[in-house]
Structures are given as structure tokens and as C-alpha cells.
Amino acid sequence: MQAHLAFTGYLGRRLHLGVCGSVAAYKSLELLRMLTDTGLAVSATLTASAERFVSRLGFEALGAAPVYGPMFDPAQGPFAHLEPGQVAQAMLVAPATANTLARLAHGLADDQLSSQALAFPGPLVLAPAMNPRLWDAPATRANCDILRARGAVFAGPACGEMACGEQGGGRLAPLEEIFTAALRAVTVQDLAGVDVLLTLGPTREYFDCVRHWSNPSTGVMGAALAVAAWLRGARVHAVCGPVSLWLPPGVHRVDVTSAREMHEAALDLFAAAQWACCTAAVADFRPEPYGPGKFKKEAGGLAVTFTPNPDILADMGRRRAPGQRLCGFAAEAADLEAQARGKLRRKNLDLIIANDVTAPGCGFAAPTNGVLALDAQGRLERWPVLPKTEVAWRIWDWMLALSA
Ligand code: C5P
């Protein structure tokens, strides 16, 4: 699991997973692992055709409980078709075949999965997988329109090469996409209606056409904040320096390279944001370009002059409107608390998260962080080294408390 997606706070919540008869059914075993790793309890139902591709035993072995098979199996009791709706907060069907989408759209209830879906009162997430001609068929299109109009959320499908060798739409979406859509469906939407702006990753400052000045930031902390806010229902705008991290398609992502590009993109979005959180490791200085083209090493040494870059967070602090909330980060090597206090005041922030980049488990690229959090009202906490996903969750809790 990528570090910015490794959320673990779902103990006590439950998801019901429906699996249909597609060759992609083997991927739902991996999906089950990803879901249970969060602490979620997961039950599952395999259709008769799913059992041609994967077995109930496999799902049981990977922690799904209970695992339902066909209706009228005496071992499952007379009310198996009602149970998921009584105990699970959301239902996911992955893979969802054309046949099952049709049954769900039209309210059929003649097998276990469709009966459970019909009786399910909570959110429904569908991850279709089928041949492109089935996906593009007018009947499937119409069935999806019916399901969407009723509030079902679709994860995918993706485009690409199919098991049958054809190209087109109908591939099961990437597992991250299905996983995050399912998590969002079981997450309390306490940030619904909030527009959140993030900056994340490093910036690159080119001094000829191939060489740049930068830092080792990977953007994991900012990406964990983006995903956490999106899972909790926020509208998320992420201005990303050069990072290779996946973000859910529901996150509005703007990719930039240099500090000046990040400044322009972030300040454009800032006016409409209620909360902004700057996690980017922006290069404070940029080298003056050597000139057009590439500097040739045969020319001998290269003297570089550095010019200060704009401070994005400080500019937000100057422009903020009443009610806009601002959070910044401080990566320090010494005097954590004093540095955090200084930056909180100078940049006009509500909250600052400071970490000692030299401490174990806290540097660039680590999946964990140990931070000191300090707000403008003087509340200070030192958190132990935690997964960045957990740090992200706590930061939004804090911002929510500041806005209450
Ligand atoms: O002053 P310092 O760079 O330590 O401040 C760190 C905070 O300011 C971080 O939140 C970082 O994202 C933000 N920052 C910025 N633009 C800069 C430099 C830092 O937004 N040019």
C-alpha cells in the first residue's frame, strides 16, 4: 500500500463487498486485503458466476466474514439477504458485471447479491468490469444512468487492453480508485462542503534546459492530507510539484514545476478556499538561468546566482479573508518550538505543524512523521511518530475544531 493511502482508523466500521463473475474477480481478493488493513470489517457475497473464477474459501481466508453464496443455502439462515443492509455502512460491488448492473438498475432480487443490494439502505459503490462492447451497449449505458441518478457512485471503469485482447473502456479501475471510493462511502462526511487547498511536493528550479535545483520531498504528507480531506467529504484542490503519487480522480489536481508556477496556481485557487494547508517543500531560492540551451561542462566551472522565490504561504497569510483558515508546516533541524512559534506569527497562520527532519522516522520520504502542532490560540501538542495518514487525520480534526 502506498504510504499516503495507508489509512488505519476504520475499526468498528463495516463494508459489504459483492463480487460478480468477471475474470477481474481475482483482483477483489487484493482489494479485500487493502480494505481489512484499514481496520474495516468486510463481509462478502459471491455470485454463482463469481464462484467460477474465485472461491468463497479464498475470501474467508483473507478475512471476509461472513461470506455468502447462493440464496436458500440453509447454512446461511433465512435472512441472509437482509443482513448486510442491517450492519454495513456501505456496499461495494467489484467487479460489477453488465448482468449485475442490469439487475441492480431494475430491482431484481432473484439471487443473493441483487437481493442484498435491493435491501441495502446505505451508499452503493460500483466498479464495473466487462468487455468494451458490453460497456458501450445502450442498455448498459441506460442502466448506469439509472444507478447514478439513484446516487450510486462509480469507480471506473478504466480504458486499456482487456483480457480478451480488445482495447477500450471496461477494464476494472485501478485498485486504489476502488479502495478510496469504498473508504469514502464508509467515512463520516464531516468536511462536506469545505473547499480545501493544498500545496505539496518539491519544486524544481531549472538553471539550464536539463539541470535543476530541488530537494528530496516526495509529497507523501501533502498527499495523505489531500486523500484524508477527500475521504471526509471535502472538495480538494491539490497543487502538486513534481511527484509521482496517485490521487483519487475526485481530487482537483494541478501539476506545476517551479515555485513561481506553484505560487500562481495556489494563489489563484486560494480566494475560493475555506482552508489552505501548505505542505510543499518550496525551493526558497532559484538559480538564475545560465542562458538558453544546455551549459557545456567544457566551459569549465559554473557560477550560479540565486534569487529568492515568492513565499506562497506568507502571501496567503497576507491576503486571507476573515474565516479562511491557514495551516503551514515547518521542517526544522533544531529549536522546533521556537521556530514554529515564529513562523505561526510571521506567516499569520491558525496552525503550524513542525517536525525535526533529522529525527528518526521524520525526514523526507518517510511513511511516518513525529510532529509538534501549535495553534494561534496557544494550544501545543507533541505527537509521537505516527503514519503520515494518521498525522493528516489529526490535522483536519484540529482545523475542524478551530472552525467550530
Ligand atoms: O519559512 P519556511 O520555508 O520554513 O516555511 C515553511 C512553510 O511555508 C511550509 O508550510 C511551506 O509549504 C511554506 N512555504 C511556501 N512558500 C515558500 C516557502 C515555504 O509556501 N516559498
Side-chain angles (χ1 to χ4, degrees):
M1 177 73 77
Q2 299 170 67
H4 68 297
L5 302 177
F7 291 93
T8 53
Y10 286 85
L11 212 63
R13 302 197 70 75
R14 177 173 280 275
L15 177 90
H16 186 62
L17 169 65
V19 183
C20 305
S22 151
V23 64
Y26 76 93
K27 295 186 183 170
S28 42
L29 286 160
E30 178 64 26
L31 189 60
L32 169 63
R33 287 201 90 137
M34 294 165 79
L35 291 164
T36 54
D37 281 350
T38 67
L40 262 182
V42 180
S43 52
T45 297
L46 276 61
T47 62
S49 352
E51 294 206 52
R52 310 290 288 257
F53 293 93
V54 285
S55 74
R56 270 184 265 170
L57 187 64
F59 285 82
E60 277 163 8
L62 291 178
V67 180
Y68 300 97
M71 284 210 289
F72 309 122
D73 175 350
Q76 298 179 154
F79 302 115
H81 61 303
L82 304 178
E83 282 168 9
Q86 290 160 342
V87 294
Q89 283 80 49
M91 179 163 176
L92 163 68
V93 185
T97 52
N99 177 49
T100 292
L101 292 177
R103 301 157 86 83
L104 301 190
H106 297 283
L108 299 193
D110 58 351
D111 76 353
Q112 190 74 283
L113 179 49
S114 54
S115 304
Q116 289 172 335
L118 192 61
F120 199 86
L124 177 64
V125 180
L126 301 166
M130 64 197 76
N131 169 278
R133 277 176 285 157
L134 270 69
W135 176 245
D136 291 333
T140 307
R141 299 261 62 80
N143 290 333
C144 291
D145 289 345
I146 291 173
L147 290 161
R148 259 190 216 100
R150 249 184 239 145
V153 170
F154 279 76
C159 284
E161 191 176 342
M162 316 294 295
C164 57
E166 288 181 35
Q167 293 276 343
R171 261 178 81 89
L172 190 73
L175 292 190
E176 295 90 343
E177 186 176 340
I178 306 172
F179 166 72
T180 48
L183 273 197
R184 192 173 201 248
V186 294
T187 304
V188 176
Q189 301 290 284
D190 55 358
L191 302 191
V194 183
D195 274 280
V196 171
L197 170 63
L198 287 145
T199 67
L200 64 98
T203 63
R204 282 184 190 165
E205 314 298 325
Y206 278 86
F207 55 97
D208 72 10
C209 62
V210 293
R211 301 183 180 97
H212 62 76
W213 170 261
S214 190
N215 62 67
S217 166
T218 53
V220 170
M221 189 63 245
L225 278 155
V227 178
W230 181 78
L231 290 176
R232 294 169 71 160
R235 280 184 298 269
V236 181
H237 310 268
V239 181
C240 305
V243 292
S244 55
L245 297 170
W246 179 90
L247 291 176
V251 169
H252 172 218
R253 173 178 188 150
V254 182
D255 286 300
V256 297
T257 304
S258 68
R260 283 179 294 174
E261 286 169 15
M262 184 175 279
H263 182 263
E264 190 183 341
L267 269 298
D268 271 358
L269 291 164
F270 181 58
Q274 279 128 297
W275 296 0
C277 183
C278 290
T279 70
V282 183
D284 292 316
F285 300 95
R286 63 178 179 276
E288 283 304 315
Y290 142 79
K294 185 181 168 197
F295 174 78
K296 301 306 285 179
K297 62 174 181 269
E298 292 76 16
L302 174 65
V304 180
T305 310
F306 285 92
T307 308
N309 268 330
D311 190 316
I312 302 163
L313 181 58
D315 278 351
M316 288 179 183
R318 276 187 280 272
R319 293 186 200 182
R320 59 187 284 185
Q324 269 185 317
R325 297 262 168 243
L326 206 49
C327 171
F329 272 68
E332 305 295 343
D335 299 334
L336 211 53
E337 189 179 328
Q339 294 291 342
R341 283 191 192 283
K343 271 175 206 176
L344 183 80
R345 189 174 28 80
R346 278 199 306 281
K347 300 200 186 194
N348 192 20
L349 310 180
D350 297 296
L351 177 62
I352 188 144
I353 308 297
N355 66 319
D356 177 351
V357 284
T358 64
C362 300
F364 285 124
T368 53
N369 209 352
V371 305
L372 171 158
L374 172 71
D375 72 18
Q377 288 149 33
R379 179 175 156 205
L380 183 149
E381 288 184 12
R382 282 173 215 277
W383 298 342
V385 173
L386 296 167
K388 284 182 173 169
T389 46
E390 174 63 23
V391 176
W393 210 270
R394 291 182 180 207
I395 290 171
W396 295 136
D397 285 346
W398 200 312
M399 292 285 272
L400 202 52
L402 285 175
S403 304

